[in-house]
Amino acid sequence: MNRFAKCIFVTAAILSLQAPLEVLGALPASAQTEAPATQTSEPSQAAMSKINAYVEFLNRSLRASESLQRYDSWVDMKKGPTGKERIIYGLYSLYDVRKEADAVTAAAAAEPKMPELDSAMLAYLETYQKLAPVIDRADKYYEREDYKSDKMEAGKAFHKDIAALAPDYWERRKAADAALRKEKVKLDLETLAALEKEQGRKARWQVRNVMFRAEAIMDLMPSNEKPVVDMPAYKQALDDYASAVREFDDYALAHPDSFHVFEDQPGSLLSKLRNFGEKLQKTKGDARKGRAGEDLEWLVNDYNMMVSTSQTATTFSKE
């Protein structure tokens, strides 16, 4: 697997699963806090709880995607392992997701109903629970290097199950991710409007607005499954983000010391996104061509840093 393929896989892994929501939602899983003082409607709180449960399971179960990607890096998926491969990497062990899986089942039955998302998450959970035991057993098999004593016999048997289950896993995970994004955007807009109504476009609103627009453009980044970027959509998302950053910067200039650590990050990311867009334009959005793919990992790192620092960005704000 080439360097670009690795890079865009990492991108998809990070961006497809935003961390649990506070009110608007751009927080790393390790930065969950108690509910903020701002009160939103009960339906919104219930919706946030549901989406958080889904996000936590998707984040935790992402290890299966990484394991399949590792397996695919050394196995011919059409033929299966032979034992004669130059390097046999095996797979990755999976995390214990029993608690998160139970939370998904409970969330799907809870209000408010989100038919498309609820159905997609249950379907993904079902497939994951079929695939996970196969990956775990295969991982132990390769870890013990049993293929050296059985001439890859068990490895070939594991491959049949992996090859049969992996397509459904990828399809259902993609569907769950898309449905989650759709519901999350609706909730983000609702909570952003509620925050503006209560506090106005002050520091907290500025951070949340910038992060909402940043997430929208990062969602358009190339992946292994979709390496060609929708350039009209990218341009529109970039324009929206640029507008949010200008308003953010104007507020920061008018209200010094409103933002902790975070202040320069939105503008820095904007500059890099513009340069990335210019490179993509030359290849008609195809990140496999030219040098656009080389910038991808840095963009993801910068965005993830913003996700992290946005949590404490207004800690010392006077407004």
Side-chain angles (χ1 to χ4, degrees):
M1 184 168 55
N2 62 38
R3 181 176 179 275
F4 174 68
K6 290 181 180 179
C7 183
I8 59 178
F9 176 75
V10 171
T11 304
I14 295 172
L15 298 181
S16 65
L17 309 172
Q18 286 314 310
L21 304 172
E22 180 196 24
V23 171
L24 185 62
L27 310 179
S30 61
Q32 296 179 60
T33 63
E34 295 182 2
T38 300
Q39 295 297 314
T40 56
S41 65
E42 285 303 318
S44 291
Q45 294 291 350
M48 282 189 282
S49 295
K50 172 173 285 202
I51 290 180
N52 281 341
Y54 290 160
V55 168
E56 286 169 3
F57 178 67
L58 287 167
N59 278 339
R60 188 82 171 159
S61 65
L62 182 64
R63 183 69 168 175
S65 299
E66 297 168 350
S67 188
L68 288 174
Q69 191 76 7
R70 179 178 176 84
Y71 185 69
D72 182 62
S73 72
W74 65 273
V75 172
D76 183 328
M77 291 301 291
K78 292 182 179 180
K79 298 179 180 179
T82 64
K84 298 180 180 179
E85 290 80 7
R86 187 172 64 86
I87 300 178
I88 297 176
Y89 289 112
L91 298 94
Y92 290 132
S93 60
L94 304 184
Y95 302 136
D96 183 354
V97 298
R98 287 174 293 180
K99 180 180 71 173
E100 292 81 5
D102 288 344
V104 167
T105 302
E111 297 292 339
K113 294 297 184 182
M114 302 176 183
E116 181 183 354
L117 177 56
D118 294 339
S119 176
M121 285 302 303
L122 289 175
Y124 171 65
L125 173 60
E126 178 186 24
T127 299
Y128 178 86
Q129 290 178 326
K130 291 178 181 178
L131 177 64
V134 179
I135 290 179
D136 281 334
R137 290 196 297 271
D139 169 61
K140 293 299 183 183
Y141 170 81
Y142 285 108
E143 186 177 289
R144 295 190 302 263
E145 298 190 356
D146 285 349
Y147 54 86
K148 292 183 177 179
S149 61
D150 74 352
K151 298 181 179 180
M152 196 60 82
E153 182 178 349
K156 293 175 182 178
F158 284 130
H159 179 78
K160 289 181 180 179
D161 290 335
I162 292 173
L165 291 168
D168 280 348
Y169 169 85
W170 289 117
E171 181 179 346
R172 291 185 176 187
R173 185 175 179 94
K174 183 178 179 181
D177 183 40
L180 177 67
R181 287 172 188 265
K182 187 183 298 183
E183 290 294 340
K184 186 175 180 296
V185 166
K186 289 194 293 186
L187 184 59
D188 283 350
L189 290 171
E190 175 189 330
T191 53
L192 192 61
L195 185 59
E196 181 178 4
K197 182 177 181 180
E198 179 176 348
Q199 299 183 2
R201 296 192 172 194
K202 295 184 179 179
R204 288 182 63 204
W205 185 92
Q206 294 294 339
V207 171
R208 294 167 189 274
N209 185 51
V210 161
M211 291 309 302
F212 175 59
R213 309 300 172 184
E215 183 178 356
I217 191 167
M218 296 302 285
D219 282 348
L220 298 171
M221 289 294 154
S223 66
N224 286 336
E225 294 74 26
K226 192 176 180 180
V228 180
V229 175
D230 182 338
M231 292 309 295
Y234 186 93
K235 182 181 184 305
Q236 182 61 60
L238 183 62
D239 288 345
D240 291 343
Y241 178 60
S243 178
V245 172
R246 284 193 293 270
E247 184 172 354
F248 174 90
D249 285 345
D250 288 346
Y251 183 91
L253 290 172
H255 303 82
D257 302 321
S258 290
F259 305 107
H260 174 63
V261 179
F262 185 79
E263 185 169 336
D264 295 331
Q265 292 177 353
S268 176
L269 180 65
L270 175 59
S271 176
K272 293 176 182 178
L273 287 169
R274 289 190 193 281
N275 291 333
F276 184 66
E278 289 173 359
K279 291 180 180 180
L280 285 175
Q281 198 66 49
K282 295 177 181 179
T283 61
K284 298 182 179 180
D286 193 337
R288 295 167 298 186
K289 301 176 181 179
R291 305 188 65 179
E294 297 175 3
D295 298 342
L296 201 49
E297 187 172 356
W298 298 108
L299 282 171
V300 172
N301 290 339
D302 282 7
Y303 172 72
N304 284 338
M305 180 61 70
M306 281 180 61
V307 170
S308 179
T309 57
S310 67
Q311 169 63 9
T312 54
T314 59
T315 299
F316 305 109
S317 176
K318 297 178 181 179
E319 295 189 359

